[in-house]
Structures are given as structure tokens and as C-alpha cells.
Amino acid sequence: MPTNPATRYLHVQKTLYNRSCHYVGRTLRPREKVETRKSMRSFFILAVLLLAGCAAANNRNSVASEASAIPHDVSYAHARLAAALYPRLAADAEANDNLFISPLSLTEGLGLALIGARGTTETQLRELLAWSGQSKPERLVREYGAFLSDTGEDEVRLSVANALWLSRAIRFDPSYLNDTERYFGATAEPVDFGGDPLGAARRINGWVAQATRERIEEIVSADQFDQSTAAVLTNAVWFKADWSAPFKDGAMSEYTRGDGSRVPIYMMERIERLQYRESKDGQAVVLPYGSSGRFVMEIFLPRDSEVLRRWERDISALSFSLASQGSDAYFDLGAEASRQILLRLPRFEARFENSVRDALVAAGIPCAFDKACADFSGMADAPFAISEVAHATFLRVDETGTEASASTAIAIRVTAKPPVPDVPKMIVDRPFLVAIRDRASGALIFFGRIADPMPVEAT
């Protein structure tokens, strides 16, 4: 049994989850499902209370606050962010655009910024993520990432990584670097954004490519960097899993795109007993991965484009979680009964690469991007603001399973020029003389006066 209270809680939760998997072999009746969820929830609450008490007894100052935040507080941020961000991205997207984001990746990227945020900037970030300043759920991110990555089966693999890319010209607060490493497992790498922007971009993109198994090869570009670039905070997620039962049949068919046009596509097919929902608005199904069914893909098929727009517009954070009080669990099919169905699903790949800056501003964190308001004094003694948030994802679905990757890059800039040092100044703003010579031989190759310099275009 782990000794760290936060780790111990995750161990207890995982043990409870594994025990619950004994039910996977049969379909629970609705009443059994309700009772099982109630029992599990009560056990979780009791475990959290006991662990919080132990933590307080052992170390009331430092460990108790970590133990009081539970993994649900960490994961609820994913639903909260999706509900705040996705509708704004969908409103600006074209009918045929793929829109596939990673709330996990975005949450951890913003969490790296939150560690160094203060004042209104911190308040807005905590409100967006629903991460209390009292319990500080961000302190459990590394532990929770380890819990997610420990899938318990070879057929399901998941990895989460964080890194900081920091300007060599700025001294970052040691406590910020310590906290991001301790709570997020983030490595800190010095780079020369102003002197070698191409080299900085290559290093960041190389890290992202490696962390996403080459599925995302570029998240930043050299032209984004200059002397004012202070840091880039990155997250990468990679997921690859086999279906519990692979698709073995299929045939060519047609797919109707968002604008109504039709394109040929290969449709995989299987007949199987799956968790399934059908309503006047459409259909939904659960496709489990691996042998335990811990990880699943949930597919929601709207009746028509009007229903799709309504679903995208009216997303609620509570709709993603059966465990949340007051939830309608619309986008969580965990309580649905299983039944025999015929499923046809496209074999496809999809990518999303875009800035989510404007959507995040609209979602509730404008201060972080405003140089007059942003406060990241927890990072360094310099005026910082977020200048850009780039997000990229990859998704592949085929007969054997799913591969998905995501990366988030948060660029932070210095918002004010540093004071000019008190040194001699030479301002060449009047006629001057210029010489070009060979010092080895003494040859004077060029010499003369420049009284009317002609401007030239940069090459």
C-alpha cells in the first residue's frame, strides 16, 4: 500500500474499480446499477474522509491540502473546460470541419500556467477549471496521470507528458519550477527564443512528435518566437487501444458530410451486445476497449443537423458525469442497458490543428491574455501574458481499435520592454562615415560618408 496519502487514495480507487469489474461479465439490472453506484460512491466518500484525517494527523500544513482534493476534482475540470470551450469553437467552425479536442491536454496545459498565476488571472483560471484555491486539485495532476496511464492491460496504452520551455534570458522562480515538476511531472528546458528561434521550435516540436508517437509533428513555428517570448508550456497525450471485439465485416458505402454532400467511405460492421440508447433526438452506443472495459468510446448520432447544432450549443459540464449531483449524464452512457445491435462505423482518420485563444478568452479567462491585467508573477519577476494557445489532435479508428493524440502549447510573452541600462548611447541618426577594410593587410576596401541612407527591404 503506498504511503503518500494522495497516492494511497488513487490506489484505493483503482482497487475499487477493479473489484467492480466483476460485473462486466453480465448486464446489471437498472436497480442493481443504481444500488452499485450508490455503494461505490459511499465507499469513495468514506475513503476520502479517512485519508484526509490521516493526512492531517501526519502533516497538517503541507499534505492535508493535497489529500482534501480528490481525483474527481481533477477530472471534472475536463468536463468543465469542454462545456465552456467546445460550443464556442463549434459556433465558428464550418459545416465540414472536424472539431476534435482533448480536454485532458488543454486542462494540464492551462494547469501549468495556473501554478504561476496570481490575482484575477488565477481567479479566472480556477473558475474555468473549477479547481478550488483551498483544496488545490492541481497538486494531484501527476498522481492522477499515473493512475490513468496504469491501464492494467496490454491492449490499452495511454501516456501523458508535460514540459516547460523557458527563455535563457529570464530567471524563473525556483518554487514555480519545483511545483510544476512535483505536481505535473514537467521537465524544464532552457531555449534561446530570440537568438535561435528555429532551434527552439525544432526542440519543442521534436518533443511533441516523440510524445505523440509522431502523430503530431508540429505545434509551434519559429516565426512565433522573438526576444519577448518568455516560455512555452506544453502537454502531450497519446492513446492507443484495441476494441474488446474487433470489427470483422464491412463494405463500401456513402457518408453525408455536414454540408449535405456525399462521399464514398468504407463502413466497418459488427453485430454485438453493446450499451445502447435510442431517443427522439438520435442514437448512442458504447464501444469498449481491452478486456476490462475501463476505457470506452461513446458515439452519439443525432437525428439531423438541427439536433447536432443543439447538442453542441447546449453542452453542460454535468452532462459528462454520472457521479455529479444534478447531472443528466447525457454524454455519459455508463448507466445504459446492453442490447444486441448492428453497428456500422466508418474507418477514418481526423485531425484538428488550430488556435483556441479566442475561445478561451470567451470561455472566461480574458485576463490571462491581457497585458494590462495578466499576473503570472508566480513564474518570474517579469510582466507576462499568454499570447497564444495552440491545440492539435489526431484520431484514427479502424477494425482493430483507436489511436488518438493531442498536444497543447501555451506561449507566454514578456509584455513590457526591460529598462534601458545606464550605459553610453550611440544613436546613428545623422550623416556618418563608414569604412570597410582588411586589418590583416591594412587594405582600405571601402570608405565614405552616408548622408542620405536609402531604406531597403529585409531579405
Side-chain angles (χ1 to χ4, degrees):
M1 173 72 72
T3 56
N4 179 275
T7 307
R8 191 161 63 248
Y9 173 78
L10 290 170
H11 177 82
V12 171
Q13 185 184 37
K14 185 174 181 181
T15 301
L16 288 172
Y17 173 82
N18 290 336
R19 290 175 181 173
S20 73
C21 289
H22 288 299
Y23 290 105
V24 171
R26 66 183 182 89
T27 302
L28 295 179
R29 293 187 294 274
R31 184 167 182 176
E32 287 181 306
K33 292 178 185 176
V34 172
E35 293 303 320
T36 299
R37 287 202 304 274
K38 286 181 178 178
S39 298
M40 294 288 286
R41 197 174 304 158
S42 298
F43 199 101
F44 286 156
I45 292 171
L46 177 60
V48 172
L49 291 174
L50 289 172
L51 289 172
C54 293
N58 293 330
N59 190 338
R60 295 182 182 276
N61 293 326
S62 61
V63 180
S65 60
E66 295 182 33
S68 64
I70 62 172
H72 175 266
D73 296 327
V74 178
S75 60
Y76 183 62
H78 309 157
R80 179 86 168 212
L81 184 61
L85 188 65
Y86 185 91
R88 290 169 171 83
L89 294 172
D92 293 334
E94 299 294 331
N96 290 344
D97 286 348
N98 292 318
L99 183 53
F100 180 66
I101 66 173
S102 171
L104 168 61
S105 176
L106 285 163
T107 297
E108 297 212 5
L110 290 172
L112 292 171
L114 171 64
I115 294 290
R118 300 293 183 268
T120 302
T121 307
E122 179 182 1
T123 300
Q124 290 182 354
L125 279 165
R126 289 196 179 281
E127 174 64 24
L128 177 65
L129 300 175
W131 280 359
S132 163
Q134 187 172 17
S135 60
K136 297 187 183 300
E138 65 271 19
R139 295 185 175 184
L140 283 181
V141 166
R142 184 175 187 173
E143 301 280 3
Y144 191 57
F147 171 70
L148 286 177
S149 300
D150 184 11
T151 65
E153 48 189 325
D154 295 337
E155 299 89 348
V156 181
R157 287 163 287 168
L158 186 150
S159 65
V160 184
N162 294 292
L164 313 176
W165 309 89
L166 309 177
S167 170
R168 297 181 186 273
I170 297 174
R171 182 184 181 277
F172 284 82
D173 192 317
S175 64
Y176 173 73
L177 302 181
N178 177 69
D179 287 350
T180 51
E181 193 281 329
R182 180 183 179 188
Y183 301 131
F184 285 74
T187 58
E189 300 290 339
V191 290
D192 187 358
F193 291 113
D196 186 14
L198 183 60
R202 282 176 177 166
R203 288 183 63 188
I204 296 172
N205 289 329
W207 180 88
V208 168
Q210 183 178 19
T212 62
R213 310 311 192 266
E214 310 298 328
R215 290 305 189 180
I216 297 172
E217 296 184 343
E218 183 174 317
I219 192 71
V220 297
S221 59
D223 59 11
Q224 295 175 291
F225 302 149
D226 55 32
Q227 295 289 355
S228 67
T229 305
V232 175
L233 318 179
T234 54
N235 169 271
V237 176
W238 178 75
F239 175 79
K240 186 174 176 60
D242 296 340
W243 303 121
S244 297
F247 288 83
K248 296 182 179 179
D249 297 315
M252 290 301 298
S253 185
E254 279 192 337
Y255 183 89
T256 303
R257 302 196 300 172
D259 64 358
S261 60
R262 296 184 177 184
V263 293
I265 198 167
Y266 184 84
M267 285 282 187
M268 306 180 294
E269 180 180 308
R270 64 199 262 194
I271 299 176
E272 190 181 351
R273 191 172 186 84
L274 299 167
Q275 287 182 290
Y276 175 76
R277 175 197 295 164
E278 187 172 340
S279 69
K280 62 181 179 61
D281 284 339
Q283 300 163 283
V285 69
V286 178
L287 292 173
Y289 297 107
S291 56
S292 71
R294 173 185 169 186
F295 293 89
V296 300
M297 173 179 282
E298 298 176 325
I299 297 173
F300 302 88
L301 180 66
R303 183 189 67 241
D304 53 35
S305 58
E306 182 179 343
V307 172
L308 174 61
R309 286 192 295 270
R310 173 159 54 81
W311 283 356
E312 292 186 318
R313 184 183 65 245
D314 298 338
I315 289 176
S316 162
L318 291 175
S319 294
F320 289 99
S321 177
L322 281 171
S324 298
Q325 186 175 4
S327 170
D328 59 14
Y330 198 87
F331 293 108
D332 187 337
L333 302 176
E336 295 301 324
S338 297
R339 58 183 292 187
Q340 195 88 350
I341 70 164
L342 182 150
L343 174 66
R344 291 193 177 103
L345 180 69
R347 181 174 62 198
F348 69 96
E349 287 188 2
R351 290 184 180 272
F352 172 83
E353 298 176 12
N354 213 336
S355 166
V356 294
R357 180 190 189 282
D358 293 343
L360 284 170
V361 169
I365 56 169
C367 188
F369 299 89
D370 184 350
K371 65 180 181 180
C373 178
D375 183 355
F376 289 102
S377 54
M379 289 187 186
D381 186 18
F384 287 169
I386 298 176
S387 59
E388 185 58 271
V389 178
H391 189 58
T393 60
F394 166 84
L395 174 65
R396 176 186 171 89
V397 175
D398 61 20
E399 286 85 347
T400 60
T402 300
E403 183 177 3
S405 299
S407 182
T408 301
I410 299 178
I412 295 180
R413 288 185 177 274
V414 178
T415 57
K417 292 183 178 180
V420 178
D422 186 17
V423 296
K425 302 175 180 63
M426 175 178 170
I427 313 298
V428 185
D429 58 358
R430 52 196 177 275
F432 62 97
L433 299 178
V434 60
I436 300 177
R437 61 190 304 153
D438 170 25
R439 284 190 166 183
S441 67
L444 185 63
I445 303 172
F446 295 99
F447 177 80
R449 181 184 71 185
I450 307 298
D452 184 17
M454 294 178 60
V456 297
E457 296 289 335
T459 58

